[in-house]
Amino acid sequence: MQNEPETLAKPLLPNPVTLIINGNSRRGREAFPLAQEALRAAGVTLGEAILSHHQEETVRALRREIKAGAATVIIGGGDGTLSQCAGELVGTNVAMAVLPLGTGNTLARSLGIPLDLESAAQTIANGHVEKMDVGRVNGRVFLNSVTLGLSASIAHALDGDTKKRLGGLSWFVVGAKMLLRHRALRLKVTAKEKTFRARTHQLVVANGRYIAGPVAAAPEASIQDSSLHVFILGDARRRSLAKTTLLWLTGRHVEAPEAQFFSTQSLRVEALRHPLRANVDGEICERTPLSIELVPNALRVIVPRGFEADEV
């Protein structure tokens, strides 16, 4: 572990703490009263509780807490909401406590936060503060990953109703349809450690321990390893995509030549045909070319006691 824990909870949260929940997340609206109940039962003194309906409302609330000198803000939502909030909190002294209410809850997994409300609330009440790395893509903060290719096409096609109805299965249902007509990308990846061109269906640039829910970016990846982990899933052939995906799921892609795996602190990604949409923590919000960099120890987060970033 790179940083000494800074204790923050039950006597560590002496002042009322603001709770902000994204009402548009998969479970946000229905979880709003349950989250307040779970946090109070865990011993957290809540001040204002906000059910946010749009990004501007969330940003206003966060900026208000930062200006007021808050020690911690509790955020409930999916990875897109948490990434958006991190963009406001990076570089401040305000810690983000996570209530996982999304589909994949990738950041919560990287932080070791339990996925049920009651246990997550107990973690907030009894956890401590650690600093985590974040990434920036074209100036925008991200927490988990930036991807190009099939995953970006799936994220673009997914709508809120499908995610709420099917949860994590929505990615497989939509992905199966997308794969049949997906065309391989032509990319150039440039970094100090490695430069290559590729035709592939998928590029992944990962910051945290996990991406795509419970799938690890690499066996030793973590939110505190001061590295971005980069790989592709094979070449233009679908059988190569399938083979390399299996290697990734079993942690063997790190040594596989077809994955082009490497770790770095910065890279540039260019599309050689036409601009491509990028999936940033589950949101389609950037286009190639992509300038991506690591920002170490940039965000304060609440984690469980005994947290080990590379073992969650």
Side-chain angles (χ1 to χ4, degrees), residues 20-287:
I20 305 172
I21 286 183
N22 175 13
N24 295 320
S25 63
R26 186 180 175 222
R27 295 186 291 141
R29 186 177 296 276
E30 65 187 50
F32 187 57
L34 301 176
Q36 295 175 70
E37 181 181 339
L39 287 163
R40 291 189 176 107
V44 176
T45 302
L46 284 179
E48 190 174 7
I50 300 168
L51 184 65
S52 175
H53 297 95
H54 49 78
Q55 179 176 337
E56 292 77 11
E57 186 178 1
T58 301
V59 169
R60 283 198 303 270
L62 276 175
R63 288 176 178 171
R64 189 166 62 244
E65 292 302 304
I66 294 168
K67 186 176 181 180
T72 306
V73 178
I74 304 169
I75 307 293
D79 289 306
T81 299
L82 299 173
S83 182
Q84 166 197 314
C85 292
E88 297 294 323
L89 296 173
V90 160
T92 74
N93 289 321
V94 184
M96 181 169 70
V98 173
L99 279 179
L101 300 176
T103 302
N105 296 311
T106 304
L107 179 65
R109 298 174 194 272
S110 290
L111 297 176
I113 305 295
L115 301 187
D116 64 283
L117 275 178
E118 290 76 13
S119 298
Q122 289 289 338
T123 296
I124 292 170
N126 299 296
H128 66 266
V129 172
E130 292 272 350
K131 292 180 181 178
M132 66 169 280
D133 305 332
V134 305
R136 287 192 189 273
V137 53
N138 294 350
R140 177 191 177 99
V141 168
F142 70 93
L143 300 172
N144 305 312
S145 63
V146 176
T147 65
L148 288 172
L150 185 59
S151 65
S153 297
I154 295 170
H156 183 68
L158 275 175
D159 57 73
D161 290 339
T162 302
K163 288 197 286 187
K164 287 180 180 179
R165 187 173 70 253
L166 298 177
L169 287 176
S170 60
W171 281 83
F172 296 100
V173 172
V174 175
K177 297 177 182 178
M178 285 286 174
L179 181 59
L180 297 175
R181 60 178 185 270
H182 192 265
R183 297 182 63 183
L185 317 177
R186 291 184 181 271
L187 302 174
K188 180 181 179 182
V189 177
T190 305
K192 182 176 70 173
E193 295 80 3
K194 180 182 286 194
T195 294
F196 62 90
R197 295 186 180 213
R199 289 190 67 206
T200 183
H201 287 278
Q202 184 71 49
L203 169 79
V204 176
V205 180
N207 171 55
R209 173 70 172 163
Y210 294 104
I211 51 180
V215 183
E220 296 182 1
S222 84
I223 57 168
Q224 293 180 331
D225 64 4
S226 299
S227 293
L228 298 170
H229 303 287
V230 185
F231 58 95
I232 60 173
L233 293 180
D235 57 31
R237 299 168 298 168
R238 285 179 174 78
R239 65 180 179 180
S240 178
L241 169 64
K243 175 187 175 183
T244 316
T245 299
L246 180 60
L247 291 173
W248 171 37
L249 295 175
T250 54
R252 293 177 292 157
H253 62 303
V254 174
E255 304 296 335
E258 56 266 58
Q260 294 278 8
F261 182 94
F262 70 101
S263 298
T264 187
Q265 289 201 326
S266 65
L267 70 153
R268 179 176 173 84
V269 181
E270 300 169 76
L272 299 181
R273 277 182 175 165
H274 51 78
L276 298 170
R277 293 186 298 258
N279 178 2
V280 182
D281 285 344
E283 304 289 332
I284 305 299
C285 55
E286 294 294 335
R287 285 180 177 267

